[in-house]
């Protein structure tokens, strides 16, 4: 199965611009501080734990994010969203991955989930994406679809913070 968009891997670049015709999403959430929080957050993101803790179904061809791993995200037990991991990063202060949409996904585009630890030790989750509706119901929902994407990204931060010890929990 092929990706449903041409700009595969675009989210890897910090500060990327959404391609023409796509909506941009960028949500950054403070998770906590220190090496242990960074390690815990990185593992939770790389092993799908954060997503599963959100209550979404994850069916992946690997227990850990890696390029070319196929992932089907199931929302509300009904909506199936097939994706493929396009890139991963595991560095001293940065870890995460991005997936791109495949045929059958309600949206068309790419989304990244990256944990980074800044020079002062603060740990952040950054979710960046570009997308546009692919299914009729995503188009019909219009701006509500983008609102749900933003809410989902914010919720990821809350859930990851809780998984890492509850720093500053909302």
């Amino acid at each position: 199965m092929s990706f449903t968009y041409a700009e595969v891997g675009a989210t890897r670049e910090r500060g990327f611009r959404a391609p023409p015709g796509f909506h941009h999403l960028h949500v950054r959430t403070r998770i906590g501080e220190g090496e242990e929080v960074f390690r815990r957050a990185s593992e939770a993101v790389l092993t799908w734990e954060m997503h599963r803790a959100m209550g979404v179904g994850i069916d992946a061809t690997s227990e850990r994010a890696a390029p070319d791993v196929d992932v089907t995200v199931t929302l509300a037990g009904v909506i199936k969203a097939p994706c493929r991991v396009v890139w991963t990063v595991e560095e001293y202060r940065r870890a995460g991955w991005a997936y791109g949409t495949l045929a059958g996904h309600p949206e068309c585009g790419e989304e990244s989930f990256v944990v980074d630890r800044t020079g002062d030790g603060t740990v952040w989750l950054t979710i960046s994406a570009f997308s546009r509706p692919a299914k009729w119901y995503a188009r019909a929902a219009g701006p509500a679809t983008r609102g749900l994407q933003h809410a989902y990204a914010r919720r990821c931060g809350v859930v990851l913070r809780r998984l890492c010890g509850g720093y500053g929990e909302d």
Side-chain angles (χ1 to χ4, degrees):
M1 216 182 307
S2 297
F3 292 103
T4 59
Y5 63 103
E7 299 81 359
V8 176
T11 58
R12 181 184 275 279
E13 301 304 319
R14 293 179 193 204
F16 76 94
R17 292 185 184 267
F22 287 83
H23 298 283
H24 185 262
L25 171 104
H26 183 83
V27 175
R28 190 169 188 231
T29 306
R30 183 181 180 281
I31 302 305
E33 293 181 8
E35 180 67 25
E36 186 55 37
V37 170
F38 173 75
R39 279 192 227 159
R40 178 74 182 102
S42 297
E43 269 310 289
V45 167
L46 290 165
T47 62
W48 325 113
E49 182 184 4
M50 177 188 72
H51 284 79
R52 288 187 173 115
M54 296 271 304
V56 299
I58 295 288
D59 181 19
T61 57
S62 175
E63 292 299 313
R64 188 173 188 82
D68 298 322
V69 168
D70 286 338
V71 182
T72 299
V73 179
T74 304
L75 304 168
V78 178
I79 298 173
K80 302 238 184 244
C83 308
R84 181 170 296 135
V85 176
V86 296
W87 60 264
T88 59
V89 61
E90 289 189 66
E91 298 170 349
Y92 178 68
R93 291 183 173 269
R94 188 168 186 250
W97 55 275
Y99 55 42
T101 58
L102 302 174
H105 195 292
E107 293 283 313
C108 171
E110 189 170 297
E111 185 169 25
S112 67
F113 304 85
V114 177
V115 175
D116 68 278
R117 190 169 145 221
T118 59
D120 69 357
T122 304
V123 178
W124 298 88
L125 171 66
T126 303
I127 299 175
S128 298
F130 61 89
S131 64
R132 65 180 174 213
K135 296 272 191 181
W136 68 268
Y137 53 85
R139 283 190 297 277
T145 300
R146 289 188 300 283
L148 290 171
Q149 289 171 328
H150 278 269
Y152 182 84
R154 286 189 304 273
R155 181 81 180 128
C156 283
V158 170
V159 167
L160 187 58
R161 192 178 319 142
R162 186 177 329 122
L163 289 171
C164 294
Y167 291 90
E169 201 162 310
D170 295 334

